[in-house]
Amino acid sequence: MESLKIPELVPSAAEDSQQLRKAFVGWGTDEACIIKILGHRNAAQRKLIRETYEATYEKDLLQDLDGEISGDFQRVVHLWTMAPAERDAYLANEAIKHLPGSNCIIMEIACARSSVDLFKVRQNYQARYKKSLEEDVADHSTGDFRKLLVSLVTALRYEGEEVNMELASDEAKILHEKISDKAYSDEEFIRILSIRSKTQLNATFNQYNDKFGNAINKDLRANPKDQYLTLLRSAIKCLMEPEKYFEKVLRLAMKGFGTDEESLTRVVATRAEVDMELIKEKYYKRNSVTLESAISDDTSGDYEKMLLALIGHGNL
């Protein structure tokens, strides 16, 4: 993710801190002020606001927010106010406590972030929880899931555009052999998925399609009820087309009766400054309804207002 520069013509961090403090003091909480400020500030600005707030009032902004608001609104504000690497470390730690049910969250963090961002997550995780991310993942998962997830979270992929077409052809053959043998957790399969750059993997998957007549994920649908295969397909989609992966997560979160607020909150908070415009395009194309409209239909109150503020960020 590109470093975020602070736009001009916005209140200073001192002014924002002062307004937030006013929103907390006295009878009741001014939720509209929280949304107006935090819902319209980028990562660099939020970092300055937190630092200024602590320096001025000797209080942790996140703790004060948690004490003033609650429910889904509190969670989205809390996650959004965190720095991206800090947020991912926090989400990973939460997910690790609920493995294997939350395998997909660990996979998302490992596959949808750049190598630099994933390295920062690992640094943040170690500093905060006094354990390495890979150690905790290994300790709380088993079998094929452990092999895949540990490899993915320890990945340090090359980020350039160079592609070795001979290698792509060779590794497409290896992947096809492993899938034909139903060796989905084979060391070679996981190695290719974990160490190659996303550009190289894209070439490999294109070679797979050209040589064998199917997209790799189609051939990995051997058993739709196999949770490991589901995670494997999700990892490939998350690596290659994260906007399509996250569109699906949002679609399923708001499908049918009831709403999966956990997934909705996580995706909006983690992708608002990354690829939300692409996700919104994919959502409309897939569902013939805007993401804004879907969120308004499925949520309400301050939670709805904060989500709408975040998905309207664009390039902020």
Side-chain angles (χ1 to χ4, degrees), residues 133-150:
L133 175 57
E134 47 269 45
E135 179 184 5
D136 259 0
V137 170
D139 286 348
H140 290 82
S141 55
T142 58
D144 292 345
F145 292 107
R146 175 192 283 166
K147 286 168 66 176
L148 178 62
L149 290 174
V150 171

Side-chain angles (χ1 to χ4, degrees), residues 9 20 28 46 49 58 66 68 130 134 141 152 229 238 241 247 254-255 297:
L9 303 177
L20 286 169
R46 298 193 306 276
I49 290 169
E58 297 182 348
D66 290 348
E68 294 292 328
K130 311 308 177 191
E134 47 269 45
S141 55
L152 290 174
L229 283 184
C238 210
E241 299 179 292
E247 181 281 322
M254 295 183 281
K255 184 179 180 181
D297 286 345

Side-chain angles (χ1 to χ4, degrees), residues 157-165 196-203 240:
R157 302 174 194 274
Y158 171 62
E159 294 285 339
E161 296 299 313
E162 287 77 6
V163 170
N164 182 329
M165 290 307 298
R196 297 299 179 213
S197 73
K198 294 178 182 182
T199 309
Q200 183 68 36
L201 281 174
N202 189 53
M240 294 297 95

Side-chain angles (χ1 to χ4, degrees), residues 77-289:
V77 170
H78 186 106
L79 289 177
W80 177 246
T81 306
M82 288 176 144
E86 175 190 19
R87 180 199 302 135
D88 280 343
Y90 176 81
L91 286 169
N93 185 255
E94 276 191 335
I96 282 166
K97 296 171 186 174
H98 299 98
L99 291 176
S102 53
N103 280 325
C104 64
I105 299 174
I106 304 297
M107 180 279 298
E108 283 176 18
I109 292 168
C111 295
R113 281 40 165 184
S114 70
S115 287
V116 172
D117 288 338
L118 180 56
F119 183 70
K120 289 178 182 176
V121 174
R122 296 210 301 265
Q123 285 182 311
N124 198 287
Y125 194 97
Q126 188 162 310
R128 181 167 183 154
Y129 301 108
K130 311 308 177 191
K131 271 188 167 184
S132 70
L133 175 57
E134 47 269 45
E135 179 184 5
D136 259 0
V137 170
D139 286 348
H140 290 82
S141 55
T142 58
D144 292 345
F145 292 107
R146 175 192 283 166
K147 286 168 66 176
L148 178 62
L149 290 174
V150 171
S151 293
L152 290 174
V153 298
T154 54
L156 189 61
R157 302 174 194 274
Y158 171 62
E159 294 285 339
E161 296 299 313
E162 287 77 6
V163 170
N164 182 329
M165 290 307 298
E166 185 178 349
L167 180 65
S169 178
D170 290 345
E171 293 194 331
K173 291 176 187 174
I174 293 171
L175 292 174
H176 186 258
E177 286 170 8
K178 300 305 178 186
I179 291 172
S180 298
D181 293 340
K182 295 184 169 52
Y184 307 116
S185 62
D186 183 89
E187 185 179 320
E188 279 291 275
F189 196 115
I190 292 176
R191 178 189 65 80
I192 292 167
L193 208 60
S194 302
I195 69 170
R196 297 299 179 213
S197 73
K198 294 178 182 182
T199 309
Q200 183 68 36
L201 281 174
N202 189 53
T204 299
F205 297 148
N206 285 337
Q207 284 285 305
Y208 187 102
N209 197 6
D210 292 345
K211 287 177 182 294
F212 308 110
N214 272 337
I216 187 170
N217 265 2
K218 188 171 182 181
D219 283 350
L220 285 170
R221 292 186 184 279
N223 181 357
K225 293 182 180 179
D226 186 320
Q227 292 301 305
Y228 175 75
L229 283 184
T230 300
L231 184 65
L232 201 56
R233 292 195 305 273
S234 294
I236 290 170
K237 183 178 279 190
C238 210
L239 284 164
M240 294 297 95
E241 299 179 292
E243 65 279 0
K244 285 185 71 173
Y245 169 83
F246 287 112
E247 181 281 322
K248 184 177 181 181
V249 176
L250 289 172
R251 173 165 31 97
L252 294 179
M254 295 183 281
K255 184 179 180 181
F257 184 75
T259 306
D260 177 1
E261 288 89 358
E262 281 288 315
S263 295
L264 177 57
T265 298
R266 183 182 78 253
V267 173
V268 171
T270 58
R271 307 312 290 182
E273 291 177 298
V274 183
D275 55 1
M276 185 53 69
E277 292 306 305
L278 284 173
I279 293 169
K280 285 160 67 173
E281 288 174 19
K282 294 289 182 186
Y283 193 93
Y284 183 75
K285 187 174 181 180
R286 177 67 171 74
N287 305 285
S288 300
V289 64

